[in-house]
Amino acid sequence: MPNLTDQLNEDFSTVYQLYEWERFYLDLLNCNGGYGLSPQEQRCLKAIAIDLPRDQIAKKLKITTDTVKSYLKKPYELIKMLFPDETTEGNMTETKARYLILRNYKKISQASVSNFGQKDEPNYEANNNIEDISLIKEYTWQTIEQVQPYIDKFHNFCNFESYTKAFYTIFDTDDYENCVYNFLSSHGYLNIIIALYERLIESWMPRKVEKWEFITTLACLGDAHDRMGNHEVAIGHYQNCLKIAEEIDDIDNIGGSLVNLGLAYFSLENYEEALDYSRLGLEIARESGNREFEANALNNLGMIYSDLEEYQLAIDYYHFSLEIKSKLNDPQGAAGSLINIGNTYRQLEKYEQTISYLQRGIEAAHHSHHNQFEANGWFNLALALECLQHYSDAIYAYEKAFNLYQQMEMTENAKDCRKAITQMTK
């Protein structure tokens, strides 16, 4: 398999010859509260700085121009924050961004930047800054009724075989956190996701320029089936993702598909396959510089080792994942890691740490509107409180989990909550 990352770094390496790029990037970090850009965002910004148009960037990175636009959104917001007096009017454009970088960071000397990015080894138990992520966000959608017009629009596009337009009606790369798909996924409307995306793939024969959208559709469909307990179906979709990604040499989606397969095999308690896929996915994610998939792979390994009763190793992997998710300012992902850490401490019968991590995970899940993570957090907290014989508090936590599971139509989980409540009330 070719090392695409090395090629990309070579293609964009001239940015370091033209600019004091590390100083510029550090200033962007400061504007963003210390959080960095994703590797894809960095690549696209470097390409703009060396005056590449969007279509050439898309061709070089083997993505669509809409995806390039998505990756440039966050860097452009930070540039506006960095130069507020010069960006008050109009949208940020490639020309304006390049002008501002060139004017302020043009390289005129070989100043030493050897200390940039150096830091001590993290102490995970003591480093509370890892979890200081932005949790309070404004979301467009509050109820399923609000997204129904977009679902109707999706079906109209499918009726006219405009499948790419149908895809972007639901999945918005410009504002993923507020898109219809993220609302449906976070609130547990998994049956709706399955119905929408199964209709999308049943007749769609994607052109080469539409392969990224098609892979994303399959991945979303696989995730919904996996969370519904249809793990074999999910594996089939993830295998199709991997096959297409390999055909078009999309290293990011190769890594992501492997990580997803690792998670699905974990759900089947096939730990050998889960370890193999997760480790290979981790290797490729690191090779491509995809921090999101790297964090997901580390989280997979944490769950696997937790089930194998290697609890301290699991906690280490969860912390590695949490650190990356926090730097990516991913409150939903961080919520999942915090809840996993708390549950592992519960298995170690370290209830003080258990309750601390679970409470923070529940809060993060609630504020980022991820109902399933929040429900899992309440359920695990109830188990810990029951072990401590705090029965009234445990019943309250089970009821919170029950209501969320019932809302998401996760009936087996809801039954477990109701059974626990009945046993304690006796």
Side-chain angles (χ1 to χ4, degrees), residues 349-401:
E349 299 182 359
K350 295 184 177 181
Y351 296 115
E352 183 178 351
Q353 294 98 319
T354 297
I355 292 171
S356 174
Y357 276 102
L358 288 176
Q359 286 177 334
R360 281 147 57 198
I362 290 167
E363 181 182 4
H366 179 75
H367 285 301
S368 60
H369 304 280
H370 200 296
N371 286 5
Q372 187 170 349
F373 284 167
E374 184 181 354
N376 293 345
W378 282 115
F379 185 83
N380 289 324
L381 181 60
L383 291 174
L385 293 168
E386 188 176 358
C387 290
L388 293 170
Q389 299 182 6
H390 296 170
Y391 296 122
S392 61
D393 290 335
I395 289 172
Y396 173 80
Y398 277 129
E399 287 176 343
K400 295 286 286 186

Side-chain angles (χ1 to χ4, degrees), residues 262 266 271 274-275 278 299-309:
F266 164 79
Y271 300 120
L275 281 170
S278 296
N299 197 66
N300 283 5
L301 292 169
M303 291 190 295
I304 294 165
Y305 283 113
S306 180
D307 268 22
L308 295 175
E309 299 184 1

Side-chain angles (χ1 to χ4, degrees), residues 138-147 183 187 189 369:
E138 293 296 327
Y139 290 85
T140 302
W141 320 114
Q142 303 298 325
T143 66
I144 189 66
E145 288 76 18
Q146 290 177 314
V147 305
F183 170 83
H187 287 73
Y189 293 109
H369 304 280

Side-chain angles (χ1 to χ4, degrees), residues 124-275:
Y124 295 120
E125 295 302 322
N127 187 0
N128 293 324
N129 290 331
I130 289 175
E131 291 113 30
D132 288 343
I133 58 174
S134 175
L135 298 177
I136 308 299
K137 294 179 180 292
E138 293 296 327
Y139 290 85
T140 302
W141 320 114
Q142 303 298 325
T143 66
I144 189 66
E145 288 76 18
Q146 290 177 314
V147 305
Q148 189 60 49
Y150 292 84
I151 293 174
D152 295 340
K153 188 176 180 181
F154 169 93
H155 286 298
N156 287 335
F157 279 129
C158 287
N159 290 338
F160 288 98
E161 300 183 358
S162 299
Y163 299 116
T164 303
K165 290 182 178 179
F167 171 87
Y168 281 110
T169 302
I170 301 298
F171 195 103
D172 186 354
T173 54
D174 285 335
D175 192 7
Y176 172 78
E177 289 181 344
N178 287 299
C179 74
V180 173
Y181 168 77
N182 188 44
F183 170 83
L184 296 172
S185 177
S186 299
H187 287 73
Y189 293 109
L190 303 179
N191 285 322
I192 295 178
I193 291 174
I194 290 171
L196 292 173
Y197 282 146
E198 284 187 345
R199 179 173 188 194
L200 193 57
I201 67 170
E202 66 183 359
S203 302
W204 190 7
M205 300 295 291
R207 298 169 296 167
K208 187 173 182 179
V209 295
E210 298 172 320
K211 290 296 178 71
W212 182 89
E213 289 81 359
F214 196 75
I215 290 173
T216 302
T217 298
L218 291 172
C220 294
L221 193 51
D223 175 73
H225 275 295
D226 198 32
R227 290 166 60 188
M228 289 290 291
N230 308 323
H231 308 306
E232 296 285 2
V233 177
I235 287 171
H237 289 307
Y238 292 148
Q239 290 285 11
N240 285 337
C241 288
L242 180 60
K243 179 182 178 182
I244 298 170
E246 288 176 335
E247 288 174 356
I248 63 175
D249 200 21
D250 181 348
I251 191 169
D252 273 342
N253 274 314
I254 290 171
S257 299
L258 292 167
V259 173
N260 287 336
L261 283 165
L263 180 60
Y265 278 110
F266 164 79
S267 300
L268 288 172
E269 299 183 2
N270 186 336
Y271 300 120
E272 183 177 357
E273 294 280 4
L275 281 170

